[in-house]
């Protein structure tokens, strides 16, 4: 069966079938996936429960697999999967049991509940984030994706003009700081703050995107409270339901998102249930305006 791309919500999100991700991708399928991701921002591949190594190989077909977050911070939480290339997005402890709500692994995933683009706080950010569900919970625990192209296009003219030349300062620990997670000074400064224009152009489609997420610590040349309030307003705008797709996970689902034109967030679930996903990220070739 040939690779088949089926749109889910207009030009946002598509389902991809007719390709077996356990095996190396041929060039035609790889190129079709890149084109589909450029067009739809998020791709859902059902029924693809991959081995860790297969997941890394799939990611590597689209660029260098990123290891910076894993090496700089996450390996110090725990490294159950034993690879710098695969992140453990789960509420499971090092022994394989469900980690309680007070466990550091569980607390670390709470930061994912705020709208964000993976790596927006890095000078060299993430292009694709690939999540593969090993187990899923009965209720809650969806991942929501929001379309930054649509969010740009639906801005009112005044706001679009007001932010046209503005630059956001993105900080890795902005949400963890807000959540009062007691990270060390070394962890809080592991990544220099990155500066990005609030309006960017998505290279794959040429479309403008509203580039703002929960990592925005400040907006340059604005008083800190005013800038933070503006960032909050822009995130509320992005998260309006007409821009959003909610993915309710089944074991084996694989979702590939283009962080250059989407944000995402995890939704609440009962921490007594087992939620286990694996993530591979690829490095983007764009660079921020430099450190703040
Ligand atoms: C991530 C993330 C959200 C979720 O893995 O990057 O933000 O639903 N996950 O687990
Ligand atoms: Mn994320």
């Amino acid at each position: 069966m040939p690779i088949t791309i089926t749109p889910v919500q207009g030009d946002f999100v598509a389902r991809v079938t007719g390709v077996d991700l356990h095996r190396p991708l041929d060039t035609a399928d790889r190129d079709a996936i890149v084109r589909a991701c450029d067009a739809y921002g998020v791709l859902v591949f059902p029924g693809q429960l991959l081995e860790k190594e297969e997941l890394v190989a799939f990611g590597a077909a689209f660029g260098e697999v990123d290891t910076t977050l894993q090496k700089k911070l996450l390996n110090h939480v725990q490294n159950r999967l034993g690879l710098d290339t695969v992140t453990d997005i789960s509420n499971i402890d090092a022994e394989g049991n469900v980690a309680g709500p007070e466990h550091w692994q569980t607390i670390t995933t709470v930061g994912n509940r705020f709208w964000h683009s993976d790596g927006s706080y890095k000078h060299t950010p993430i292009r694709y984030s690939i999540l593969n569900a090993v187990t899923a919970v009965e209720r809650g625990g969806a991942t929501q994706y929001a379309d930054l192209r649509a969010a740009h296009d639906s801005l009112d003219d005044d706001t679009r003009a007001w932010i046209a030349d503005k630059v956001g300062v993105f900080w890795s620990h902005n949400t963890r700081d807000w959540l009062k997670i007691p990270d060390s000074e070394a962890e809080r400064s592991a990544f220099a703050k990155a500066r990005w224009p609030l309006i960017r152009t998505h290279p794959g489609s040429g479309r403008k995107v509203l580039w703002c997420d929960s990592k925005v610590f400040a907006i340059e040349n604005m008083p800190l409270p005013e800038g933070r309030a503006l960032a909050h307003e822009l995130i509320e705008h992005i998260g309006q339901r007409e821009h959003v797709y909610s993915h309710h996970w089944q074991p084996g689902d694989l979702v590939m998102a283009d962080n250059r034109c989407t944000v995402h967030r995890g939704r609440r679930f009962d921490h007594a249930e087992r939620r286990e996903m694996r993530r591979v990220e690829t490095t983007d070739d764009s660079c921020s305006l430099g450190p703040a």
Side-chain angles (χ1 to χ4, degrees):
M1 198 173 80
I3 190 164
T4 305
I5 315 284
T6 311
V8 172
Q9 281 182 197
D11 64 3
F12 188 44
V13 188
R15 277 170 79 85
V16 184
T17 52
V19 57
D20 180 2
L21 305 187
H22 295 83
R23 295 201 299 222
L25 287 174
D26 63 34
T27 309
D29 283 351
R30 181 207 169 272
D31 292 351
I33 291 169
V34 170
R35 278 198 306 274
C37 220
D38 281 343
Y40 296 101
V42 179
L43 301 179
V44 177
F45 300 77
Q48 306 270 5
L49 182 50
L50 303 187
E51 297 296 333
K52 287 180 289 192
E53 295 73 16
E54 294 167 341
L55 184 61
V56 175
F58 175 69
F62 305 99
E64 185 192 338
V65 172
D66 194 273
T67 57
T68 48
L69 178 64
Q70 194 65 39
K71 284 189 187 145
K72 278 193 182 207
L73 294 174
L74 297 180
N75 281 346
H76 306 302
V77 177
Q78 66 181 25
N79 191 3
R80 186 171 61 92
L81 302 178
L83 292 175
D84 293 337
T85 43
V86 184
T87 298
D88 179 17
I89 305 291
S90 78
N91 61 336
I92 299 172
D93 68 18
E95 286 72 49
N97 302 312
V98 172
E102 305 286 348
H103 193 285
W104 207 241
Q105 173 70 19
T106 307
I107 287 176
T108 287
T109 63
V110 177
N112 289 339
R113 299 243 295 271
F114 297 79
W115 289 116
H116 66 280
S117 176
D118 287 335
S120 61
Y121 55 86
K122 293 202 318 169
H123 179 57
T124 49
I126 301 299
R127 182 174 302 181
Y128 299 122
S129 290
I130 300 157
L131 273 173
N132 196 201
V134 179
T135 68
V137 293
E138 285 288 314
R139 294 174 55 219
T143 304
Q144 293 186 309
Y145 295 88
D147 183 351
L148 299 180
R149 308 162 306 175
H152 169 272
D153 295 349
S154 65
L155 282 169
D156 62 82
D157 292 344
D158 276 354
T159 307
R160 198 184 294 114
W162 174 235
I163 67 171
D165 300 318
K166 299 232 171 346
V167 169
V169 180
F170 291 66
W171 180 35
S172 59
H173 279 56
N174 202 48
T175 40
R176 292 175 69 93
D177 203 53
W178 192 83
L179 289 166
K180 308 289 181 216
I181 298 175
D183 291 311
S184 68
E185 274 316 308
E187 289 163 331
R188 290 158 61 86
S189 56
F191 291 95
K193 295 187 182 83
R195 299 161 52 248
W196 290 107
L198 291 183
I199 309 266
R200 296 176 63 201
T201 300
H202 179 247
S205 62
R207 290 183 62 181
K208 293 231 171 96
V209 302
L210 172 55
W211 185 245
C212 185
D213 74 2
S214 58
K215 306 294 177 183
V216 173
F217 172 80
I219 294 182
E220 280 187 356
N221 301 320
M222 292 181 80
L224 195 57
E226 187 64 34
R228 290 175 71 87
L230 174 59
H232 182 75
E233 287 161 8
L234 294 175
I235 295 163
E236 279 195 323
H237 171 79
I238 290 166
Q240 293 180 99
R241 66 175 61 201
E242 58 269 30
H243 305 144
V244 173
Y245 163 75
S246 296
H247 190 75
H248 301 277
W249 294 93
Q250 298 292 323
D253 283 352
L254 183 145
V255 176
M256 174 173 181
D258 184 342
N259 287 292
R260 301 170 301 178
C261 63
T262 63
V263 288
H264 59 273
R265 65 174 177 179
R267 301 299 272 163
R268 185 166 47 82
F269 63 97
D270 180 352
H271 283 304
E273 282 195 69
R274 189 179 182 94
R275 183 177 191 265
E276 181 175 3
M277 324 235 264
R278 295 173 181 164
R279 185 185 69 190
V280 164
E281 300 178 315
T282 66
T283 305
D284 194 33
D285 58 8
S286 67
C287 290
S288 76
L289 300 172

